[in-house]
Amino acid sequence: MFAYAGHFMFFILISEMKRPQDAMKAAYTLQITATSLYVVFAVVSYWYIGSDVSSPSFLSLSPLFSKIAFGLAIPNFFIAGSLYSHTASKLVFVRLFRHTKHIHSHTFLGWGTWTVLILLANAVAFIFAVGIPIFNYLVGISAAVFAAWYTYGLAGAFWLHDTYYFEGGYRGWLRKPMALMVNVFTILAGAFICVGGLYATIVALIRASAAGELPPPFQC
């Protein structure tokens, strides 16, 4: 459920661009490609597997194809994990050393702090992923609460805000009726994903707990 067209890292990456305006090119490409892929994947999985699809869905395949799928996905796991830990560490690093020479200079304090932040981020990620028995459900809950809004809700809210304050208030909205409808729809879509995702994940967690299907901590 963490697979969305938008991403919270947009804010961090855009802030580092020489021309932040060019970010929209990548955003359009990502929105179209990612949304299409995830819709197709979800429909195909539900069509052939049904509502009893496992988490992750690779586990619903036969043992042979499950191993093949995991083998193809492993490089992406490493890349995605590194990207998350790098971005989280960089956010903290910039907050600590803003307006200092450690941001762009090779200093012992800068590199030492960066190394500690990377190790700490990966250690925390390991504890969450392996030490918490309900991690898969925790991912679903956090995605429903936060990622739904970063993907859809905030995008629509930003457009409404910017158009209202920079293009003449309500008249700015009315001058662009199609854009208004699209952005209102994105806000409603974010709300639907948030509520629906929370409900589905919590119900699945309750059923798994009642059936004794939750693994013990630190069991891969």
Side-chain angles (χ1 to χ4, degrees):
M1 192 174 178
F2 245 132
Y4 287 99
H7 210 287
F8 67 89
M9 284 195 291
F10 281 2
F11 301 99
I12 300 173
L13 298 177
I14 291 173
S15 67
E16 298 179 351
M17 296 182 65
K18 185 176 182 179
R19 281 181 45 83
Q21 299 87 344
D22 292 337
M24 290 305 299
K25 300 175 184 177
Y28 283 130
T29 303
L30 178 61
Q31 293 277 16
I32 295 171
T33 304
T35 301
S36 301
L37 287 175
Y38 288 124
V39 168
V40 170
F41 182 81
V43 171
V44 171
S45 297
Y46 187 80
W47 180 267
Y48 286 101
I49 301 174
S51 59
D52 296 327
V53 60
S54 302
S55 179
S57 58
F58 295 155
L59 298 177
S60 299
L61 302 173
S62 64
L64 175 60
F65 284 100
S66 179
K67 293 177 181 178
I68 294 175
F70 271 109
L72 295 174
I74 284 176
N76 179 66
F77 294 157
F78 280 112
I79 295 172
S82 300
L83 185 62
Y84 278 112
S85 61
H86 173 90
T87 307
S89 300
K90 190 166 189 176
L91 182 63
V92 177
F93 185 84
V94 172
R95 293 298 184 273
L96 289 175
F97 296 118
R98 177 172 294 184
H99 305 306
T100 69
K101 64 179 182 179
H102 305 292
I103 290 288
H104 301 292
S105 300
H106 296 285
T107 64
F108 178 80
L109 179 60
W111 276 107
T113 303
W114 175 251
T115 303
V116 171
L117 288 174
I118 290 292
L119 293 175
L120 183 61
N122 283 278
V124 172
F126 173 79
I127 293 174
F128 270 90
V130 182
I132 300 178
I134 62 169
F135 176 72
N136 287 339
Y137 302 98
L138 184 63
V139 169
I141 291 173
S142 59
V145 174
F146 299 107
W149 294 111
Y150 273 108
T151 304
Y152 296 104
L154 285 180
F158 286 162
W159 185 90
L160 292 176
H161 176 275
D162 291 348
T163 303
Y164 181 86
Y165 283 99
F166 299 113
E167 297 189 22
Y170 295 110
R171 293 181 179 179
W173 293 354
L174 297 177
R175 283 196 297 268
K176 301 177 179 179
M178 289 301 298
L180 176 62
M181 288 189 291
V182 169
N183 284 279
V184 170
F185 173 78
T186 61
I187 296 175
L188 295 177
F192 174 78
I193 295 173
C194 177
V195 175
L198 273 176
Y199 175 80
T201 307
I202 292 173
V203 169
L205 175 58
I206 293 174
R207 291 178 179 176
S209 178
E213 297 175 351
L214 298 179
F218 293 101
Q219 177 175 324
C220 182

